[in-house]
């Protein structure tokens, strides 16, 4: 929301927002779907409130531990050195720093190019990202992202995998064959969950 300042948003406030939604709809428990970093939020909610989640669906999940985040980064350095260099060049531009929408789109064209290999799909995705944002919204979103990352997977002790065994929900992990995040990171999530299953979507 535009009237919420970035420093008011924490992982705790995000989990509380989800619980308010559950209460608003009068649900004793819910099925929760998380995508990308939203999967981390979904797992945070499910492990903090194991009695309130019946099913957990994690699509293209971000890493669930600091160790897997490092593994993800190491693989990108090994396999996408040119893309990472291009992303660093774009993010150093004044237009990017100021939240220019076209420059932001150029950055994400490179960011997702190894996982969305059909140009029309890559173009469609990038056009949807932050499509209704202003430059100020983009800058605020970056600040919020960095706050949430600092409170979760950037912390060396962060490990949601340890807590997933407490989650009584059935867990379905859906992962793309060419996802940015290594398949073994997704497999770690499915393996840590007591009732976890992983499905890999080809191509």
């Amino acid at each position: 929301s535009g009237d919420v300042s970035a420093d008011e948003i924490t992982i705790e406030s995000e989990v509380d927002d989800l619980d308010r939604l559950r209460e608003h709809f009068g649900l004793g428990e819910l099925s929760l779907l998380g995508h990308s970093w939203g999967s981390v939020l979904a797992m945070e909610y499910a492990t903090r409130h194991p009695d309130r989640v019946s099913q957990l669906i994690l699509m293209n999940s971000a890493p669930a531990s600091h160790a897997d985040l490092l593994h993800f980064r190491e693989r990108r350095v090994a396999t996408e050195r040119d893309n990472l260099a291009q992303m660093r060049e774009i993010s150093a531009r004044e237009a990017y720093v100021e939240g220019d929408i076209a420059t932001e789109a150029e950055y994400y064209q490179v960011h997702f190019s190894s996982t969305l290999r059909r140009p029309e799909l890559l173009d469609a995705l990038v056009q949807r990202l932050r499509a209704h944002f202003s430059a100020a919204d983009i800058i605020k979103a970056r600040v919020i992202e960095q706050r949430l990352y600092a409170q979760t997977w950037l912390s060396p002790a962060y490990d949601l995998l340890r807590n997933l065994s407490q989650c009584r929900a059935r867990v379905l992990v859906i992962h793309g064959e060419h996802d940015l995040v290594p398949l073994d990171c997704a497999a770690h999530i499915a393996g840590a969950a007591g009732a976890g299953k992983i499905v890999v979507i080809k191509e």
Side-chain angles (χ1 to χ4, degrees):
S1 167
D3 57 354
V4 176
S5 67
D7 59 4
E8 293 179 83
I9 297 176
T10 63
I11 189 63
E12 286 78 17
S13 72
E14 295 286 270
V15 169
D16 287 346
D17 281 350
L18 281 176
D19 206 46
R20 287 194 188 96
L21 277 174
R22 180 193 60 81
E23 290 176 345
H24 173 78
F25 289 109
L27 301 172
E29 60 180 17
L30 45 77
S31 298
L32 192 56
L33 182 147
H35 172 249
S36 190
W37 198 87
S39 292
V40 173
L41 176 56
M43 287 184 277
E44 283 278 359
Y45 183 89
T47 56
R48 292 174 190 228
H49 302 294
D51 58 326
R52 300 175 191 175
V53 180
S54 59
Q55 298 176 98
L56 192 57
I57 304 162
L58 307 173
M59 226 169 65
N60 304 98
S61 180
S65 69
H66 181 71
D68 275 351
L69 171 65
L70 295 181
H71 173 51
F72 163 49
R73 288 179 167 178
E74 287 165 3
R75 195 196 67 170
R76 285 205 87 177
V77 168
T79 61
E80 293 190 68
R81 191 173 301 275
D82 291 345
N83 281 355
L84 292 174
Q86 194 174 350
M87 288 160 60
R88 284 193 296 272
E89 185 275 321
I90 295 169
S91 65
R93 295 179 197 167
E94 184 177 352
Y96 180 90
V97 173
E98 293 176 350
D100 177 69
I101 294 169
T103 310
E104 172 99 341
E106 184 181 353
Y107 177 92
Y108 280 109
Q109 283 275 354
V110 179
H111 178 70
F112 288 114
S113 61
S114 67
T115 188
L116 282 170
R117 299 173 179 199
R118 288 166 52 189
E120 69 275 16
L121 295 181
L122 180 58
D123 290 344
L125 172 69
V126 170
Q127 286 171 19
R128 292 175 186 165
L129 288 173
R130 300 177 177 176
H132 305 293
F133 278 37
S134 66
D137 292 331
I138 287 174
I139 293 169
K140 181 178 177 179
R142 290 176 189 160
V143 172
I144 291 169
E145 286 170 356
Q146 288 307 310
R147 280 179 57 81
L148 293 174
Y149 296 165
Q151 293 165 10
T152 55
W153 63 359
L154 289 181
S155 169
Y158 189 72
D159 190 353
L160 269 174
L161 300 172
R162 286 191 304 234
N163 301 329
L164 272 178
S165 60
Q166 305 166 14
C167 177
R168 65 177 182 82
R170 290 183 296 164
V171 178
L172 174 62
V173 179
I174 303 171
H175 205 72
E177 181 183 22
H178 301 301
D179 197 278
L180 287 173
V181 177
L183 176 58
D184 49 357
C185 294
H188 292 163
I189 295 170
K197 177 183 178 181
I198 186 167
V199 173
V200 179
I201 307 298
K202 297 294 182 182
E203 298 185 8

